[in-house]
Amino acid sequence: KLFRSSVCTHMSRMDAEQNESFKPLLTYVLVTRSSQILAFKRGTYNRVEDYLRGSHCVGFGGHVSELDRTLYNMKTDLGLADNAKRELFEELDLPKGDKERVAQGTGLEIVGLLNDDSSITGRKHFAILFRYHASEDREWDGPRRGEKSVTQLRWLDLKSLNVQLREFEYWSQLCLTEFFPSSVRAQPSFLIRRKARL
């Protein structure tokens, strides 16, 4: 019921991001395979805010656009699933079998909503969380990117997650702690972003 046309409307991305009465919809897709989750580092070839460049992520996705809305989905999810599929096709070079699976929506499910008002970016976006269960195709052993903005693409083992949570952008931190809490080992720490003298 959340995605009724009386609640959601299409407008230009610029207008929506300038007006805090609206929140543009995004999809954020977690790609998993058995006990692994696919992660990457944001490169410099993207349109995200400066503070997100170079951060590690576990979510693939982007803004839902008019292109995602079709005659077949305007009464169901307003193009959310089609957007999630499109983003996976753009950001990853999927194995042939997974291209067919994604196109059919096989292995793709909505697992939650992400509404984060703790930052300027969060206050301007509302994410639909998807999870894609990748196939066992051996091509996934060496995942390949589809866009230049996706760098250091790799699988993280959720049974022995040996990463600093602070290295991940905030939405990834929220997803890791919510969906894989036993894998996250958070320790108090600090990071000096500006080394100028006080």
Side-chain angles (χ1 to χ4, degrees), residues 41 54-57 154 162-169 173 191:
K41 185 175 181 180
S55 59
H56 294 267
C57 305
R154 74 237 182 252
N162 189 21
V163 295
Q164 289 286 339
L165 197 59
R166 72 172 185 214
E167 293 177 358
F168 288 84
E169 49 90 15
Q173 291 180 28
L191 179 64

Side-chain angles (χ1 to χ4, degrees), residues 66-83:
E66 187 68 39
L67 297 172
D68 301 311
R69 190 175 182 191
T70 68
L71 180 64
Y72 303 104
N73 64 32
M74 56 191 273
K75 294 213 179 243
T76 54
D77 70 355
L78 300 177
L80 291 169
D82 285 339
N83 173 263

Side-chain angles (χ1 to χ4, degrees), residues 124-135:
K124 294 182 178 182
H125 297 93
F126 185 84
I128 312 304
L129 295 175
F130 282 82
R131 183 173 183 174
Y132 175 62
H133 300 273
S135 73

Side-chain angles (χ1 to χ4, degrees), residues 9-19 22-26 46-49 52 61-66 86-87 121 124-125:
T9 184
H10 281 270
M11 65 174 56
S12 78
R13 178 176 170 179
M14 188 68 75
D15 290 343
E17 290 184 347
Q18 299 294 326
N19 186 340
F22 297 94
K23 279 195 171 195
L25 282 175
L26 287 87
N46 56 43
R47 296 182 348 185
V48 298
E49 285 77 4
L52 287 174
H63 290 81
V64 178
S65 74
E66 187 68 39
R86 179 174 59 80
E87 293 291 345
T121 301
K124 294 182 178 182
H125 297 93

